Amino acid sequence: MQRLVVLISGSGSNLQSIIDACKNSNRLHAKAEIVAVIANKPDAFGLQRAADQGIPALCINHTEFASRELFDQHLAQVIQDYQADLVILAGFMRILTPAFTQQFAGKLLNIHPSLLPKYPGLNTHQRAIDANDAFAGATVHFVTAELDGGPCILQAAVAIDGDDAKSLAAKVLQQEHKIYPEVICWFVEKRLRLDGNTAWLDGKAIPKHGVQFETA
């Protein structure tokens, strides 16, 4: 049984998709378990989602630490205490220190609401609209010290068709809920790994922009 720890900062909609997959997917049920959900904000609704499912839910409030390094050190120790096989960032709005990302290299995933390497950081949907892009989307990637710069694993694209940032975000979020559980399945099935700065799936190097998810 693979032990998953999920880090959140907000509502936890991606967390919910992972909870549902662990309960209902033949590929994850009895193979993976969310052993803890950790938020850095006490009002994160995702903590309630976890508690409702009987999953240990705890807050490590980053404002109570004197530095980013001290917060990350404490967070890392708690994750180690849960003996996590995989650490999943699901709307975790903290920039992690290089020491943290190195400690969990190869078992630290993130989902980002853009077609990386386009638009790392914030306001991704408006940036895609302002650039007159035809497509936006989401990317699951391994986390490295570079912000939103780790090797891409899986991407899902959606057409930008008269959207504003809010409607585009909703379309992208639907795809996030599909591709994140898929990548977690790959990891749990031992099909996915990180070697250096390259992601590998089924023994083959994943292209720079990741595997392209069929959205139809």
Side-chain angles (χ1 to χ4, degrees), residues 10-107:
S11 70
S13 71
N14 271 306
L15 166 66
Q16 188 65 56
S17 73
I18 299 165
I19 291 172
D20 293 344
C22 287
K23 289 174 60 178
N24 303 319
S25 167
N26 290 334
R27 294 168 63 194
L28 283 180
H29 184 63
K31 298 177 184 176
E33 176 186 12
I34 302 174
V35 295
V37 172
I38 304 172
N40 67 309
K41 296 182 178 181
D43 59 350
F45 181 67
L47 292 173
Q48 187 62 51
R49 292 183 191 267
D52 288 346
Q53 298 294 324
I55 299 168
L58 56 153
C59 175
I60 303 175
N61 191 334
H62 66 274
T63 65
E64 297 176 358
F65 292 81
S67 69
R68 190 177 298 274
E69 288 75 17
L70 288 173
F71 171 79
D72 279 11
Q73 288 170 17
H74 182 74
L75 176 62
Q77 185 59 59
V78 172
I79 293 170
Q80 285 186 316
D81 290 344
Y82 278 102
Q83 299 178 310
D85 297 297
L86 180 64
V87 183
I88 301 163
L89 308 184
F92 187 65
M93 303 302 288
R94 295 281 298 170
I95 296 174
L96 295 164
T97 57
F100 184 98
T101 59
Q102 182 60 42
Q103 182 173 345
F104 295 101
K107 58 178 185 178

